[in-house]
Amino acid sequence: MPYTAAHKQQTRERIVRTARRLFNRRGFSDVSIDEIMAAAGLTRGGFYNHFRTKEEPYAEAVTAILWDHPAKNWEGIELDFTATGPKLARQIVEAYLTRQHFQDIDGSCPMIALPSDVARGAPQVKAAFRQLLEGMAEVFAANLPPHSLSPRDRALALAALLVGGMALARAVDDEALADRIRAAARALALEVSGWTGVGPH
Amino acid sequence: MPYTAAHKQQTRERIVRTARRLFNRRGFSDVSIDEIMAAAGLTRGGFYNHFRTKEEPYAEAVTAILWDHPAKNWEGIELDFTATGPKLARQIVEAYLTRQHFQDIDGSCPMIALPSDVARGAPQVKAAFRQLLEGMAEVFAANLPPHSLSPRDRALALAALLVGGMALARAVDDEALADRIRAAARALALEVSGWTGVGPH
DNA sequence: TGTACATCAGTGAACGCGCGTTCACTGATGTAC
DNA sequence: TGTACATCAGTGAACGCGCGTTCACTGATGTAC
């Protein structure tokens, strides 16, 4: 069996990583299969050895950010995944709303880079998106005290605040305003979560 | 002077309204000029009597929602623009996060329908987007008490919460989850704004 | 009031181009002997 | 160890198609007389 299965899977992953970077930056429709394959060091035709349609790597790209996890490092706020509890939750809030994450379009969380594209996307794309959201909400919910809102509801609202803050910041043409939106979202998130007190990561 | 200036402007507005509906639903790239013109009851070529490029009506479509204002009516929560103060602010929060607004893709607030498209868009598109955001933030800021966060910062964070909540709800493939995100965002928005007490619109 | 005219909003064929996908191929590789 | 072979990942030309934009035109309209 020439070309091991491992080799093929490596190539496939390379294509998805490349696709993710391009989709994050320019959206689904404005990226061509040609571009993806060329950026991955391959040629057009090979794409269909790995995927049946253009939407297939798109759905995978949405969750591909999870592969990178412990390596992710925005603004020196290393996500220490051995940390637990409110400390980890706070780290996520802080890291999510950094200037680094704002600028890192390629490596950005797809919930920021692609929400409107996903809303129009195929079911498998929306399912991948949901998986990402649920992952974030779970970490938050596990670290919220009981309240008038259930931890899960509060966690979902927090996710909305983070994602919304970054999405608005990215969509605006004024850097000072973008910074201010980020800072405001961060402050409100820490305030309503009660994680202000757990120390600066 | 055949065809009055008023006639031309009417046609132009009709094109922008049609474009807005289509862009809201399918994004910038997936809508063709042909489609816009056909949906507006015209033919391809005439487009360039009104606009120089495809991006021109796109930028206008983002702010076109402001034209509709007092007529907008989501879930029976009529925005009564003679209302003022916290009452109006609360009305906006309530109306924004209704199921009606969730479902009304065509007439939706473009901040929800297009954030990632706008983030990749031309400067004039981002400027239009900012205008919309500032409009919402101003109404909020005018009705927030002084606090650890300035009214304006708090208003921006509230806008992020509303827009983020709806964007996430739309991007998810599970209706119950979408409802829950909306409700959670609404509850948190009312809680942190202090508008809970101003009565049910 | 009626008519001839000039304007320009709207038409639709045509342009060059890049897209997603298909397909016959080729050549690097792991395996059998 | 060396060689002949079968596999299939990767190649690149070709396909039909729809796009944004251009352009020569046409015909409905307001105006001048």
Side-chain angles (χ1 to χ4, degrees):
Chain A
M1 198 193 297
Y3 289 107
T4 60
H7 169 86
K8 184 170 185 184
Q9 201 197 320
Q10 268 176 23
T11 305
R12 186 193 163 92
E13 275 188 27
R14 183 156 43 93
I15 296 172
V16 172
R17 276 179 201 283
T18 309
R20 173 174 168 239
R21 185 159 45 81
L22 291 169
F23 285 142
N24 258 2
R25 188 164 281 282
R26 310 218 311 276
F28 180 71
S29 298
D30 287 353
V31 173
S32 71
I33 289 174
D34 233 19
E35 280 179 298
I36 296 169
M37 293 302 278
L42 296 163
T43 54
R44 201 184 347 279
F47 180 87
Y48 295 89
N49 283 332
H50 297 280
F51 311 98
R52 273 167 305 174
T53 66
K54 190 185 171 189
E55 294 223 304
E56 226 170 273
Y58 186 53
E60 287 189 39
V62 168
T63 44
I65 194 174
L66 297 171
W67 306 347
D68 295 340
H69 242 161
K72 263 296 170 219
N73 177 343
W74 283 312
E75 195 154 277
I77 297 180
E78 277 187 61
L79 283 181
D80 171 10
F81 277 79
T82 62
T84 52
K87 213 174 152 193
L88 173 60
R90 177 169 188 179
Q91 273 181 33
I92 293 178
V93 172
E94 301 269 14
Y96 205 86
L97 289 165
T98 54
R99 174 183 281 272
Q100 256 66 20
H101 188 195
F102 174 77
Q103 286 168 339
D104 180 13
I105 313 269
D106 289 349
S108 164
C109 172
M111 292 198 288
I112 298 162
L114 303 170
S116 39
D117 298 72
V118 169
R120 299 185 288 262
Q124 56 181 336
V125 180
K126 300 182 91 168
F129 190 98
R130 175 162 52 87
Q131 191 185 330
L132 210 57
L133 173 62
E134 298 272 23
M136 177 186 271
E138 267 162 38
V139 177
F140 289 167
N143 294 292
L144 285 162
H147 197 273
S148 60
L149 236 57
S150 78
R152 179 165 154 88
D153 285 333
R154 200 152 252 258
L156 290 171
L158 273 175
L161 177 57
L162 299 199
V163 173
M166 279 301 249
L168 291 185
R170 288 246 183 96
V172 132
D173 64 340
D174 176 322
E175 208 179 333
L177 178 59
D179 285 349
R180 195 159 184 180
I181 297 167
R182 275 195 300 112
R186 177 181 169 282
L188 188 63
L190 291 179
E191 178 194 315
V192 302
S193 63
W195 297 328
T196 326
V198 300
H201 40 101
Chain B
M1 198 192 298
Y3 291 107
T4 60
H7 168 86
K8 184 169 186 185
Q9 202 197 318
Q10 267 175 25
T11 304
R12 186 194 163 92
E13 275 188 27
R14 183 154 44 95
I15 298 171
V16 173
R17 276 180 202 280
T18 307
R20 173 176 167 236
R21 186 159 45 81
L22 292 168
F23 285 143
N24 258 3
R25 189 165 281 283
R26 310 218 311 277
F28 179 71
S29 298
D30 287 352
V31 172
S32 72
I33 289 173
D34 233 18
E35 280 179 297
I36 295 170
M37 293 302 278
L42 297 164
T43 54
R44 202 186 344 283
F47 180 86
Y48 295 90
N49 281 334
H50 297 280
F51 310 99
R52 271 166 306 176
T53 67
K54 190 184 170 188
E55 295 223 303
E56 228 172 271
Y58 186 53
E60 287 189 40
V62 169
T63 44
I65 194 173
L66 298 170
W67 306 347
D68 296 340
H69 242 164
K72 264 297 170 219
N73 176 344
W74 282 311
E75 193 155 280
I77 297 178
E78 277 186 62
L79 283 180
D80 171 10
F81 276 80
T82 63
T84 51
K87 211 175 153 194
L88 173 60
R90 177 168 187 179
Q91 274 181 32
I92 292 177
V93 172
E94 301 269 15
Y96 205 86
L97 289 165
T98 54
R99 174 183 280 271
Q100 255 66 19
H101 189 195
F102 174 77
Q103 286 168 339
D104 180 12
I105 313 270
D106 290 348
S108 165
C109 171
M111 292 198 287
I112 298 163
L114 303 170
S116 38
D117 298 70
V118 169
R120 300 184 288 261
Q124 56 181 335
V125 180
K126 300 182 92 168
F129 190 98
R130 175 162 51 88
Q131 192 186 328
L132 209 56
L133 173 62
E134 298 272 22
M136 177 186 271
E138 267 162 38
V139 177
F140 289 166
N143 295 291
L144 285 163
H147 196 274
S148 59
L149 235 57
S150 80
R152 179 165 155 89
D153 284 333
R154 201 152 252 258
L156 289 172
L158 273 174
L161 178 56
L162 298 199
V163 173
M166 279 300 249
L168 291 185
R170 288 247 184 96
V172 131
D173 63 341
D174 176 323
E175 208 179 333
L177 178 59
D179 285 348
R180 194 158 185 181
I181 296 167
R182 275 195 301 112
R186 177 181 169 283
L188 189 63
L190 291 179
E191 178 193 315
V192 303
S193 65
W195 298 327
T196 325
V198 299
H201 43 100

